[in-house]
Amino acid sequence: MSEILASLRSLMASHSPPLDALVVPSEDYHQSEYVSARDKRREFVSGFTGSAGLALVTKKDARLWTDGRYFLQATQQLSVEWTLMRMGEDPGFDAWVADNLPVEAAIGIDPWCVSVDTAQRWQLTFAKKQQKLVQTETNLVDEVWKSRPPAEINPVVVHPIEFTGCPVAQKLKDLRAKLKNEKTRGIVVTTLDEVAWLYNIRGTDVSYCPVVHAFAIITSNSAFLYVDKKKVSAETNCYMEENGIDVRDYADVSSDVVLLASDQLDSTSEVKGIDTTTGNGTTEAEGNNIDRIWVDPGSCCYALYSKLNSEKVHMQQSPLALAKALKNPVELDGLKKAHVRDGAAVVQYLVWLDKQMQESYGASGYFLEGQSANKKKDLGAIKLTEVTVSDKLEGFRASKEHFRGLSFPTISSVGPNAAIIHYSPHAETCAELNPDSIYLFDSGAQYLDGTTDITRTVHFGNPSTHEKACYTAVLKGHIALGNACFPNGTNGHALDILARIPLWKDGLDYRHGTGHGIGSYLNVHEGPHLISFRPHARNVPLQASMTVTDEPGYYEDGNFGIRLENVLIVKEADTKFNFGDKGYLSFEHITWGCWAIFQVAFVFWPALQRVKTKFFALGTISVVRASEFIQENSLRNYLSQLNL
């Protein structure tokens, strides 16, 4: 790590102008949460592997900012050369730079890896001391990273209408209507899942996310896809031509944005089924003297924005973000079916794991207790580790129809490791399972008809009174949010408190958000809505046909972690009254892998029939025995208060 920092500082000193600091963000050219191996620059520089963080290298200092999900992980992974900055507790990045770097300091950034919003916010803060952002022509980390992985050539795949539920022509028509309504003549689309959703394509350029490294530009009479053409087969190219999409090289987006700014960008492909002209033969954009370009400041990179005339840019969240979040009936049906298959895999896993814990560790078990209770540990049995059991879970999922891979790295964690919110086990260092410790697994899969995400926390031995109390508080919060009914216009910031109140009553809390959207065979984390204590959760209200997770938790550093997660669909609620004629919303749970799936599971595991009465049935909550892991009286009283 010291050599990497020394090499970077050498490049910073020789840069023109010399740089006082270099910013190394987590994001790629598309501001992605998950990035390809060759885009993990911040991880290469710092050694920190979490998905969120910002690194700063100065002449004598190196600091990493990350949020509460990763405090413990970053503490373990950062070397002595690095200082951890805890977001929400320590000074923020821009404030620290303004206060600690000299007047007129030059702070280097790769403008392709920083969003417009972020760059402008930094510029405003730095200007107070005449500090300035310097856009480097090349990424300095890439010059130091001699073993940087090469770009992969993965095919662009057309996602069938049987899964998308809406043809490209209709999506383009709807988008152009929004462009017209906002008096804009074009939009630059940089977010990978938006490009994939708009054009009904998928790929494997980023692990766990079925997306393609690509940009898109759409105008009133043209549509472009910027991608490595080696990824586009003849069949896919025909599909693009049929839908009026002009395929151009990935790097051409830079020069084409310049042409777009001067209204010289035109397509060689014919727009299918859309009349973009007025009665006198001019386009609608020309006829209305519209000359603004739509850019999403939160996702468009500063490099492309800088090529536009800032006075003619419409800065607003992409209209595709909300359109993608509002699932159509085909997408909703696919998500439900995917979760049934995924739930079956999770139940298979829990039954298998329960049996292994009994046979290998003498655990009391849930399902087959009468056969193997109090059995001593079999010293010759196969060792179960966080990695080997998570591989088994992936195997169960892989046997299901339409499986295409995991939706994120499985969090399979025992005891103290479960306290690391986004823990990622590695075969060489992971822990062995222990019947006397909590086991938490947060996992999901990509299926052609939907994306899944589920978290369960179990204990195969005798949890302490404190562990049971904490689990019960998390479970109460999970139930409270999942059974909420609220008026139209309510945002996720307002709902977040429902999941926390049962924890707050005991003086407990958690440092992550409570819910995020889920893609339709797309990214497992999807906006623009979310349920969170963070202010930006106020920006977008929840709407019917959105998906969102319900996942409160509690974590004690060095001891254990607890989280419960289901995927929900926002639906219209049938209320007795309708105050203010607002209409009310509620949630439909679509996650299985719990009590409700047992009816299906009985077909495969008759032994479950014998222990059915041992479980505390809570709809879609978790596989736990009330006397072992739940404060039963406390939970029963709580449920009675909720009229459940």
Side-chain angles (χ1 to χ4, degrees), residues 349-350 353 357 366 413 415 433-441 455-461 463 471 561-564 622-625 629:
Y349 172 63
L350 285 168
L353 184 56
M357 291 299 292
Y366 299 121
S413 52
L433 265 64
N434 184 344
D436 297 320
S437 296
I438 282 177
Y439 173 62
L440 181 157
F441 66 100
T455 306
R456 293 293 181 261
T457 305
V458 296
H459 198 300
F460 295 98
Y471 183 95
I562 296 165
R563 183 160 66 253
L564 293 172
S622 187
V623 179
V624 289
R625 186 167 52 198
F629 206 11

PDB file of all heavy atoms in Angstrom, residues 349-350 353 357 366 413 415 433-441 455-461 463 471 561-564 622-625 629:
ATOM      1  N   TYR A 349     -32.274 -24.835   1.749  1.00  0.00           N
ATOM      2  CA  TYR A 349     -31.003 -24.519   2.402  1.00  0.00           C
ATOM      3  C   TYR A 349     -31.112 -24.627   3.913  1.00  0.00           C
ATOM      4  O   TYR A 349     -30.263 -25.237   4.582  1.00  0.00           O
ATOM      5  CB  TYR A 349     -30.569 -23.115   1.986  1.00  0.00           C
ATOM      6  CG  TYR A 349     -29.370 -22.572   2.716  1.00  0.00           C
ATOM      7  CD1 TYR A 349     -28.124 -23.195   2.602  1.00  0.00           C
ATOM      8  CD2 TYR A 349     -29.463 -21.427   3.513  1.00  0.00           C
ATOM      9  CE1 TYR A 349     -27.013 -22.691   3.255  1.00  0.00           C
ATOM     10  CE2 TYR A 349     -28.361 -20.917   4.169  1.00  0.00           C
ATOM     11  CZ  TYR A 349     -27.136 -21.556   4.036  1.00  0.00           C
ATOM     12  OH  TYR A 349     -26.044 -21.053   4.692  1.00  0.00           O
ATOM     13  N   LEU A 350     -32.163 -24.047   4.487  1.00  0.00           N
ATOM     14  CA  LEU A 350     -32.315 -24.066   5.937  1.00  0.00           C
ATOM     15  C   LEU A 350     -32.514 -25.481   6.471  1.00  0.00           C
ATOM     16  O   LEU A 350     -31.982 -25.836   7.526  1.00  0.00           O
ATOM     17  CB  LEU A 350     -33.485 -23.170   6.348  1.00  0.00           C
ATOM     18  CG  LEU A 350     -33.210 -21.667   6.274  1.00  0.00           C
ATOM     19  CD1 LEU A 350     -34.498 -20.872   6.408  1.00  0.00           C
ATOM     20  CD2 LEU A 350     -32.211 -21.252   7.346  1.00  0.00           C
ATOM     21  N   LEU A 353     -29.099 -27.118   6.179  1.00  0.00           N
ATOM     22  CA  LEU A 353     -28.181 -26.579   7.167  1.00  0.00           C
ATOM     23  C   LEU A 353     -28.532 -27.078   8.564  1.00  0.00           C
ATOM     24  O   LEU A 353     -27.651 -27.419   9.364  1.00  0.00           O
ATOM     25  CB  LEU A 353     -28.202 -25.051   7.125  1.00  0.00           C
ATOM     26  CG  LEU A 353     -27.223 -24.324   8.045  1.00  0.00           C
ATOM     27  CD1 LEU A 353     -25.787 -24.771   7.775  1.00  0.00           C
ATOM     28  CD2 LEU A 353     -27.359 -22.816   7.872  1.00  0.00           C
ATOM     29  N   MET A 357     -25.996 -29.107  10.926  1.00  0.00           N
ATOM     30  CA  MET A 357     -25.624 -28.607  12.246  1.00  0.00           C
ATOM     31  C   MET A 357     -25.873 -29.663  13.319  1.00  0.00           C
ATOM     32  O   MET A 357     -25.116 -29.766  14.298  1.00  0.00           O
ATOM     33  CB  MET A 357     -26.408 -27.328  12.564  1.00  0.00           C
ATOM     34  CG  MET A 357     -26.023 -26.129  11.711  1.00  0.00           C
ATOM     35  SD  MET A 357     -24.293 -25.641  11.897  1.00  0.00           S
ATOM     36  CE  MET A 357     -24.278 -25.043  13.579  1.00  0.00           C
ATOM     37  N   TYR A 366     -34.074 -27.798  14.422  1.00  0.00           N
ATOM     38  CA  TYR A 366     -35.479 -27.441  14.341  1.00  0.00           C
ATOM     39  C   TYR A 366     -36.315 -28.575  13.764  1.00  0.00           C
ATOM     40  O   TYR A 366     -37.340 -28.966  14.280  1.00  0.00           O
ATOM     41  CB  TYR A 366     -35.668 -26.215  13.433  1.00  0.00           C
ATOM     42  CG  TYR A 366     -34.968 -24.984  13.916  1.00  0.00           C
ATOM     43  CD1 TYR A 366     -34.010 -24.358  13.136  1.00  0.00           C
ATOM     44  CD2 TYR A 366     -35.275 -24.441  15.159  1.00  0.00           C
ATOM     45  CE1 TYR A 366     -33.373 -23.216  13.569  1.00  0.00           C
ATOM     46  CE2 TYR A 366     -34.640 -23.300  15.605  1.00  0.00           C
ATOM     47  CZ  TYR A 366     -33.691 -22.683  14.802  1.00  0.00           C
ATOM     48  OH  TYR A 366     -33.064 -21.560  15.235  1.00  0.00           O
ATOM     49  N   SER A 413     -22.588 -15.038   7.630  1.00  0.00           N
ATOM     50  CA  SER A 413     -21.775 -14.542   8.742  1.00  0.00           C
ATOM     51  C   SER A 413     -22.178 -15.174  10.067  1.00  0.00           C
ATOM     52  O   SER A 413     -23.358 -15.300  10.388  1.00  0.00           O
ATOM     53  CB  SER A 413     -21.901 -13.024   8.833  1.00  0.00           C
ATOM     54  OG  SER A 413     -23.260 -12.621   8.861  1.00  0.00           O
ATOM     55  N   GLY A 415     -21.624 -15.196  14.344  1.00  0.00           N
ATOM     56  CA  GLY A 415     -21.166 -14.503  15.547  1.00  0.00           C
ATOM     57  C   GLY A 415     -20.668 -13.098  15.287  1.00  0.00           C
ATOM     58  O   GLY A 415     -21.386 -12.266  14.717  1.00  0.00           O
ATOM     59  N   LEU A 433     -18.956 -22.455  11.261  1.00  0.00           N
ATOM     60  CA  LEU A 433     -20.254 -22.316  11.915  1.00  0.00           C
ATOM     61  C   LEU A 433     -20.180 -22.840  13.345  1.00  0.00           C
ATOM     62  O   LEU A 433     -19.399 -23.744  13.652  1.00  0.00           O
ATOM     63  CB  LEU A 433     -21.341 -23.047  11.130  1.00  0.00           C
ATOM     64  CG  LEU A 433     -22.125 -22.148  10.156  1.00  0.00           C
ATOM     65  CD1 LEU A 433     -21.234 -21.605   9.066  1.00  0.00           C
ATOM     66  CD2 LEU A 433     -23.305 -22.880   9.567  1.00  0.00           C
ATOM     67  N   ASN A 434     -21.018 -22.260  14.180  1.00  0.00           N
ATOM     68  CA  ASN A 434     -20.994 -22.567  15.605  1.00  0.00           C
ATOM     69  C   ASN A 434     -22.434 -22.622  16.101  1.00  0.00           C
ATOM     70  O   ASN A 434     -23.166 -21.632  15.986  1.00  0.00           O
ATOM     71  CB  ASN A 434     -20.205 -21.485  16.349  1.00  0.00           C
ATOM     72  CG  ASN A 434     -20.056 -21.773  17.823  1.00  0.00           C
ATOM     73  OD1 ASN A 434     -20.767 -22.606  18.389  1.00  0.00           O
ATOM     74  ND2 ASN A 434     -19.134 -21.070  18.467  1.00  0.00           N
ATOM     75  N   PRO A 435     -22.881 -23.745  16.656  1.00  0.00           N
ATOM     76  CA  PRO A 435     -24.274 -23.843  17.118  1.00  0.00           C
ATOM     77  C   PRO A 435     -24.592 -22.904  18.271  1.00  0.00           C
ATOM     78  O   PRO A 435     -25.756 -22.678  18.584  1.00  0.00           O
ATOM     79  CB  PRO A 435     -24.401 -25.307  17.551  1.00  0.00           C
ATOM     80  CG  PRO A 435     -23.008 -25.726  17.875  1.00  0.00           C
ATOM     81  CD  PRO A 435     -22.133 -24.996  16.902  1.00  0.00           C
ATOM     82  N   ASP A 436     -23.572 -22.345  18.892  1.00  0.00           N
ATOM     83  CA  ASP A 436     -23.785 -21.451  20.021  1.00  0.00           C
ATOM     84  C   ASP A 436     -23.720 -19.974  19.621  1.00  0.00           C
ATOM     85  O   ASP A 436     -23.720 -19.098  20.487  1.00  0.00           O
ATOM     86  CB  ASP A 436     -22.745 -21.719  21.110  1.00  0.00           C
ATOM     87  CG  ASP A 436     -22.866 -23.124  21.681  1.00  0.00           C
ATOM     88  OD1 ASP A 436     -24.014 -23.575  21.873  1.00  0.00           O
ATOM     89  OD2 ASP A 436     -21.830 -23.763  21.903  1.00  0.00           O
ATOM     90  N   SER A 437     -23.664 -19.716  18.307  1.00  0.00           N
ATOM     91  CA  SER A 437     -23.583 -18.334  17.821  1.00  0.00           C
ATOM     92  C   SER A 437     -24.671 -18.055  16.799  1.00  0.00           C
ATOM     93  O   SER A 437     -25.117 -18.962  16.078  1.00  0.00           O
ATOM     94  CB  SER A 437     -22.213 -18.060  17.182  1.00  0.00           C
ATOM     95  OG  SER A 437     -21.175 -18.169  18.118  1.00  0.00           O
ATOM     96  N   ILE A 438     -25.068 -16.808  16.719  1.00  0.00           N
ATOM     97  CA  ILE A 438     -26.032 -16.381  15.702  1.00  0.00           C
ATOM     98  C   ILE A 438     -25.437 -16.549  14.315  1.00  0.00           C
ATOM     99  O   ILE A 438     -24.246 -16.312  14.087  1.00  0.00           O
ATOM    100  CB  ILE A 438     -26.427 -14.905  15.947  1.00  0.00           C
ATOM    101  CG1 ILE A 438     -27.432 -14.811  17.099  1.00  0.00           C
ATOM    102  CG2 ILE A 438     -26.995 -14.259  14.687  1.00  0.00           C
ATOM    103  CD1 ILE A 438     -27.818 -13.393  17.463  1.00  0.00           C
ATOM    104  N   TYR A 439     -26.273 -16.978  13.388  1.00  0.00           N
ATOM    105  CA  TYR A 439     -25.873 -17.060  11.978  1.00  0.00           C
ATOM    106  C   TYR A 439     -26.815 -16.175  11.164  1.00  0.00           C
ATOM    107  O   TYR A 439     -28.037 -16.338  11.219  1.00  0.00           O
ATOM    108  CB  TYR A 439     -25.935 -18.502  11.464  1.00  0.00           C
ATOM    109  CG  TYR A 439     -25.698 -18.621   9.966  1.00  0.00           C
ATOM    110  CD1 TYR A 439     -24.489 -18.229   9.411  1.00  0.00           C
ATOM    111  CD2 TYR A 439     -26.695 -19.116   9.114  1.00  0.00           C
ATOM    112  CE1 TYR A 439     -24.265 -18.334   8.036  1.00  0.00           C
ATOM    113  CE2 TYR A 439     -26.474 -19.219   7.747  1.00  0.00           C
ATOM    114  CZ  TYR A 439     -25.260 -18.825   7.218  1.00  0.00           C
ATOM    115  OH  TYR A 439     -25.044 -18.915   5.863  1.00  0.00           O
ATOM    116  N   LEU A 440     -26.242 -15.212  10.414  1.00  0.00           N
ATOM    117  CA  LEU A 440     -27.010 -14.295   9.568  1.00  0.00           C
ATOM    118  C   LEU A 440     -26.611 -14.504   8.116  1.00  0.00           C
ATOM    119  O   LEU A 440     -25.418 -14.536   7.802  1.00  0.00           O
ATOM    120  CB  LEU A 440     -26.743 -12.850   9.996  1.00  0.00           C
ATOM    121  CG  LEU A 440     -27.449 -11.705   9.267  1.00  0.00           C
ATOM    122  CD1 LEU A 440     -27.511 -10.465  10.178  1.00  0.00           C
ATOM    123  CD2 LEU A 440     -26.778 -11.309   7.957  1.00  0.00           C
ATOM    124  N   PHE A 441     -27.609 -14.664   7.242  1.00  0.00           N
ATOM    125  CA  PHE A 441     -27.291 -14.693   5.808  1.00  0.00           C
ATOM    126  C   PHE A 441     -28.225 -13.761   5.053  1.00  0.00           C
ATOM    127  O   PHE A 441     -29.427 -13.781   5.211  1.00  0.00           O
ATOM    128  CB  PHE A 441     -27.321 -16.117   5.236  1.00  0.00           C
ATOM    129  CG  PHE A 441     -28.672 -16.788   5.216  1.00  0.00           C
ATOM    130  CD1 PHE A 441     -29.431 -16.836   4.050  1.00  0.00           C
ATOM    131  CD2 PHE A 441     -29.177 -17.399   6.357  1.00  0.00           C
ATOM    132  CE1 PHE A 441     -30.659 -17.468   4.023  1.00  0.00           C
ATOM    133  CE2 PHE A 441     -30.410 -18.037   6.340  1.00  0.00           C
ATOM    134  CZ  PHE A 441     -31.157 -18.073   5.166  1.00  0.00           C
ATOM    135  N   THR A 455     -33.026 -11.689   3.813  1.00  0.00           N
ATOM    136  CA  THR A 455     -32.119 -11.866   4.946  1.00  0.00           C
ATOM    137  C   THR A 455     -32.829 -12.631   6.051  1.00  0.00           C
ATOM    138  O   THR A 455     -33.969 -12.320   6.389  1.00  0.00           O
ATOM    139  CB  THR A 455     -31.640 -10.512   5.509  1.00  0.00           C
ATOM    140  OG1 THR A 455     -31.076  -9.731   4.461  1.00  0.00           O
ATOM    141  CG2 THR A 455     -30.589 -10.724   6.587  1.00  0.00           C
ATOM    142  N   ARG A 456     -32.156 -13.621   6.592  1.00  0.00           N
ATOM    143  CA  ARG A 456     -32.665 -14.387   7.725  1.00  0.00           C
ATOM    144  C   ARG A 456     -31.557 -14.525   8.769  1.00  0.00           C
ATOM    145  O   ARG A 456     -30.371 -14.633   8.419  1.00  0.00           O
ATOM    146  CB  ARG A 456     -33.150 -15.770   7.280  1.00  0.00           C
ATOM    147  CG  ARG A 456     -34.385 -15.734   6.386  1.00  0.00           C
ATOM    148  CD  ARG A 456     -35.592 -15.231   7.145  1.00  0.00           C
ATOM    149  NE  ARG A 456     -36.801 -15.205   6.339  1.00  0.00           N
ATOM    150  CZ  ARG A 456     -37.288 -14.123   5.751  1.00  0.00           C
ATOM    151  NH1 ARG A 456     -36.644 -12.974   5.838  1.00  0.00           N
ATOM    152  NH2 ARG A 456     -38.421 -14.175   5.075  1.00  0.00           N
ATOM    153  N   THR A 457     -31.951 -14.501  10.016  1.00  0.00           N
ATOM    154  CA  THR A 457     -31.029 -14.670  11.132  1.00  0.00           C
ATOM    155  C   THR A 457     -31.526 -15.829  11.979  1.00  0.00           C
ATOM    156  O   THR A 457     -32.684 -15.838  12.401  1.00  0.00           O
ATOM    157  CB  THR A 457     -30.966 -13.390  11.981  1.00  0.00           C
ATOM    158  OG1 THR A 457     -30.632 -12.280  11.150  1.00  0.00           O
ATOM    159  CG2 THR A 457     -29.919 -13.521  13.076  1.00  0.00           C
ATOM    160  N   VAL A 458     -30.674 -16.815  12.219  1.00  0.00           N
ATOM    161  CA  VAL A 458     -31.081 -18.009  12.960  1.00  0.00           C
ATOM    162  C   VAL A 458     -30.048 -18.353  14.027  1.00  0.00           C
ATOM    163  O   VAL A 458     -28.927 -17.830  14.021  1.00  0.00           O
ATOM    164  CB  VAL A 458     -31.266 -19.228  12.014  1.00  0.00           C
ATOM    165  CG1 VAL A 458     -32.406 -18.987  11.040  1.00  0.00           C
ATOM    166  CG2 VAL A 458     -29.980 -19.511  11.243  1.00  0.00           C
ATOM    167  N   HIS A 459     -30.459 -19.218  14.929  1.00  0.00           N
ATOM    168  CA  HIS A 459     -29.572 -19.699  15.989  1.00  0.00           C
ATOM    169  C   HIS A 459     -29.901 -21.171  16.202  1.00  0.00           C
ATOM    170  O   HIS A 459     -31.039 -21.522  16.447  1.00  0.00           O
ATOM    171  CB  HIS A 459     -29.796 -18.903  17.273  1.00  0.00           C
ATOM    172  CG  HIS A 459     -28.682 -19.015  18.263  1.00  0.00           C
ATOM    173  ND1 HIS A 459     -28.276 -20.217  18.808  1.00  0.00           N
ATOM    174  CD2 HIS A 459     -27.878 -18.063  18.810  1.00  0.00           C
ATOM    175  CE1 HIS A 459     -27.279 -20.004  19.641  1.00  0.00           C
ATOM    176  NE2 HIS A 459     -27.015 -18.703  19.661  1.00  0.00           N
ATOM    177  N   PHE A 460     -28.887 -22.031  16.103  1.00  0.00           N
ATOM    178  CA  PHE A 460     -29.122 -23.467  16.192  1.00  0.00           C
ATOM    179  C   PHE A 460     -28.878 -24.023  17.594  1.00  0.00           C
ATOM    180  O   PHE A 460     -28.977 -25.220  17.810  1.00  0.00           O
ATOM    181  CB  PHE A 460     -28.242 -24.197  15.176  1.00  0.00           C
ATOM    182  CG  PHE A 460     -28.586 -23.874  13.752  1.00  0.00           C
ATOM    183  CD1 PHE A 460     -27.871 -22.928  13.040  1.00  0.00           C
ATOM    184  CD2 PHE A 460     -29.650 -24.506  13.132  1.00  0.00           C
ATOM    185  CE1 PHE A 460     -28.204 -22.625  11.730  1.00  0.00           C
ATOM    186  CE2 PHE A 460     -29.997 -24.208  11.822  1.00  0.00           C
ATOM    187  CZ  PHE A 460     -29.271 -23.262  11.115  1.00  0.00           C
ATOM    188  N   GLY A 461     -28.548 -23.138  18.525  1.00  0.00           N
ATOM    189  CA  GLY A 461     -28.312 -23.593  19.891  1.00  0.00           C
ATOM    190  C   GLY A 461     -29.209 -22.887  20.881  1.00  0.00           C
ATOM    191  O   GLY A 461     -30.428 -22.844  20.705  1.00  0.00           O
ATOM    192  N   PRO A 463     -29.657 -19.297  22.366  1.00  0.00           N
ATOM    193  CA  PRO A 463     -29.298 -17.874  22.399  1.00  0.00           C
ATOM    194  C   PRO A 463     -29.481 -17.295  23.791  1.00  0.00           C
ATOM    195  O   PRO A 463     -30.307 -17.766  24.576  1.00  0.00           O
ATOM    196  CB  PRO A 463     -30.269 -17.242  21.403  1.00  0.00           C
ATOM    197  CG  PRO A 463     -31.423 -18.184  21.329  1.00  0.00           C
ATOM    198  CD  PRO A 463     -30.841 -19.546  21.512  1.00  0.00           C
ATOM    199  N   TYR A 471     -33.315  -9.717  18.967  1.00  0.00           N
ATOM    200  CA  TYR A 471     -33.988 -10.297  17.808  1.00  0.00           C
ATOM    201  C   TYR A 471     -35.465  -9.923  17.804  1.00  0.00           C
ATOM    202  O   TYR A 471     -36.038  -9.574  16.762  1.00  0.00           O
ATOM    203  CB  TYR A 471     -33.833 -11.817  17.818  1.00  0.00           C
ATOM    204  CG  TYR A 471     -34.436 -12.505  16.611  1.00  0.00           C
ATOM    205  CD1 TYR A 471     -33.664 -12.825  15.506  1.00  0.00           C
ATOM    206  CD2 TYR A 471     -35.799 -12.814  16.575  1.00  0.00           C
ATOM    207  CE1 TYR A 471     -34.216 -13.435  14.394  1.00  0.00           C
ATOM    208  CE2 TYR A 471     -36.363 -13.421  15.475  1.00  0.00           C
ATOM    209  CZ  TYR A 471     -35.570 -13.739  14.384  1.00  0.00           C
ATOM    210  OH  TYR A 471     -36.132 -14.329  13.288  1.00  0.00           O
ATOM    211  N   GLY A 561     -24.796 -10.002  14.956  1.00  0.00           N
ATOM    212  CA  GLY A 561     -25.619  -9.113  14.140  1.00  0.00           C
ATOM    213  C   GLY A 561     -26.946  -9.785  13.850  1.00  0.00           C
ATOM    214  O   GLY A 561     -27.037 -11.016  13.768  1.00  0.00           O
ATOM    215  N   ILE A 562     -27.995  -8.965  13.696  1.00  0.00           N
ATOM    216  CA  ILE A 562     -29.343  -9.469  13.419  1.00  0.00           C
ATOM    217  C   ILE A 562     -29.945  -8.611  12.315  1.00  0.00           C
ATOM    218  O   ILE A 562     -29.858  -7.380  12.362  1.00  0.00           O
ATOM    219  CB  ILE A 562     -30.238  -9.399  14.668  1.00  0.00           C
ATOM    220  CG1 ILE A 562     -29.701 -10.322  15.768  1.00  0.00           C
ATOM    221  CG2 ILE A 562     -31.692  -9.757  14.331  1.00  0.00           C
ATOM    222  CD1 ILE A 562     -30.317 -10.039  17.130  1.00  0.00           C
ATOM    223  N   ARG A 563     -30.533  -9.232  11.323  1.00  0.00           N
ATOM    224  CA  ARG A 563     -31.283  -8.507  10.298  1.00  0.00           C
ATOM    225  C   ARG A 563     -32.351  -9.428   9.739  1.00  0.00           C
ATOM    226  O   ARG A 563     -32.130 -10.630   9.580  1.00  0.00           O
ATOM    227  CB  ARG A 563     -30.366  -8.008   9.176  1.00  0.00           C
ATOM    228  CG  ARG A 563     -31.098  -7.177   8.120  1.00  0.00           C
ATOM    229  CD  ARG A 563     -30.145  -6.295   7.314  1.00  0.00           C
ATOM    230  NE  ARG A 563     -29.207  -7.030   6.488  1.00  0.00           N
ATOM    231  CZ  ARG A 563     -27.904  -7.159   6.743  1.00  0.00           C
ATOM    232  NH1 ARG A 563     -27.396  -6.602   7.832  1.00  0.00           N
ATOM    233  NH2 ARG A 563     -27.104  -7.840   5.949  1.00  0.00           N
ATOM    234  N   LEU A 564     -33.524  -8.873   9.449  1.00  0.00           N
ATOM    235  CA  LEU A 564     -34.608  -9.598   8.793  1.00  0.00           C
ATOM    236  C   LEU A 564     -35.047  -8.786   7.593  1.00  0.00           C
ATOM    237  O   LEU A 564     -35.293  -7.586   7.718  1.00  0.00           O
ATOM    238  CB  LEU A 564     -35.787  -9.802   9.749  1.00  0.00           C
ATOM    239  CG  LEU A 564     -35.536 -10.720  10.944  1.00  0.00           C
ATOM    240  CD1 LEU A 564     -36.714 -10.679  11.905  1.00  0.00           C
ATOM    241  CD2 LEU A 564     -35.287 -12.147  10.478  1.00  0.00           C
ATOM    242  N   SER A 622     -39.763 -15.530   9.540  1.00  0.00           N
ATOM    243  CA  SER A 622     -38.501 -16.256   9.629  1.00  0.00           C
ATOM    244  C   SER A 622     -38.719 -17.667  10.122  1.00  0.00           C
ATOM    245  O   SER A 622     -39.778 -18.000  10.642  1.00  0.00           O
ATOM    246  CB  SER A 622     -37.552 -15.520  10.579  1.00  0.00           C
ATOM    247  OG  SER A 622     -36.278 -16.099  10.552  1.00  0.00           O
ATOM    248  N   VAL A 623     -37.705 -18.497   9.948  1.00  0.00           N
ATOM    249  CA  VAL A 623     -37.756 -19.845  10.481  1.00  0.00           C
ATOM    250  C   VAL A 623     -37.060 -19.833  11.833  1.00  0.00           C
ATOM    251  O   VAL A 623     -35.857 -19.864  11.918  1.00  0.00           O
ATOM    252  CB  VAL A 623     -37.043 -20.819   9.522  1.00  0.00           C
ATOM    253  CG1 VAL A 623     -37.066 -22.226  10.071  1.00  0.00           C
ATOM    254  CG2 VAL A 623     -37.704 -20.788   8.166  1.00  0.00           C
ATOM    255  N   VAL A 624     -37.836 -19.717  12.894  1.00  0.00           N
ATOM    256  CA  VAL A 624     -37.281 -19.705  14.244  1.00  0.00           C
ATOM    257  C   VAL A 624     -38.242 -20.412  15.173  1.00  0.00           C
ATOM    258  O   VAL A 624     -39.438 -20.443  14.937  1.00  0.00           O
ATOM    259  CB  VAL A 624     -37.064 -18.259  14.761  1.00  0.00           C
ATOM    260  CG1 VAL A 624     -35.930 -17.586  14.051  1.00  0.00           C
ATOM    261  CG2 VAL A 624     -38.327 -17.445  14.636  1.00  0.00           C
ATOM    262  N   ARG A 625     -37.736 -20.986  16.234  1.00  0.00           N
ATOM    263  CA  ARG A 625     -38.584 -21.606  17.235  1.00  0.00           C
ATOM    264  C   ARG A 625     -38.817 -20.586  18.344  1.00  0.00           C
ATOM    265  O   ARG A 625     -37.886 -20.025  18.899  1.00  0.00           O
ATOM    266  CB  ARG A 625     -37.900 -22.849  17.792  1.00  0.00           C
ATOM    267  CG  ARG A 625     -38.780 -23.639  18.750  1.00  0.00           C
ATOM    268  CD  ARG A 625     -38.168 -25.001  19.020  1.00  0.00           C
ATOM    269  NE  ARG A 625     -36.784 -24.887  19.429  1.00  0.00           N
ATOM    270  CZ  ARG A 625     -35.936 -25.903  19.399  1.00  0.00           C
ATOM    271  NH1 ARG A 625     -36.322 -27.072  18.941  1.00  0.00           N
ATOM    272  NH2 ARG A 625     -34.697 -25.752  19.800  1.00  0.00           N
ATOM    273  N   PHE A 629     -35.663 -18.399  20.236  1.00  0.00           N
ATOM    274  CA  PHE A 629     -35.056 -17.179  19.717  1.00  0.00           C
ATOM    275  C   PHE A 629     -35.953 -15.954  19.821  1.00  0.00           C
ATOM    276  O   PHE A 629     -35.549 -14.864  19.478  1.00  0.00           O
ATOM    277  CB  PHE A 629     -34.660 -17.397  18.258  1.00  0.00           C
ATOM    278  CG  PHE A 629     -33.529 -16.541  17.799  1.00  0.00           C
ATOM    279  CD1 PHE A 629     -32.761 -15.803  18.690  1.00  0.00           C
ATOM    280  CD2 PHE A 629     -33.209 -16.470  16.461  1.00  0.00           C
ATOM    281  CE1 PHE A 629     -31.705 -15.016  18.260  1.00  0.00           C
ATOM    282  CE2 PHE A 629     -32.155 -15.689  16.014  1.00  0.00           C
ATOM    283  CZ  PHE A 629     -31.401 -14.960  16.930  1.00  0.00           C
TER     284      PHE A 629
END
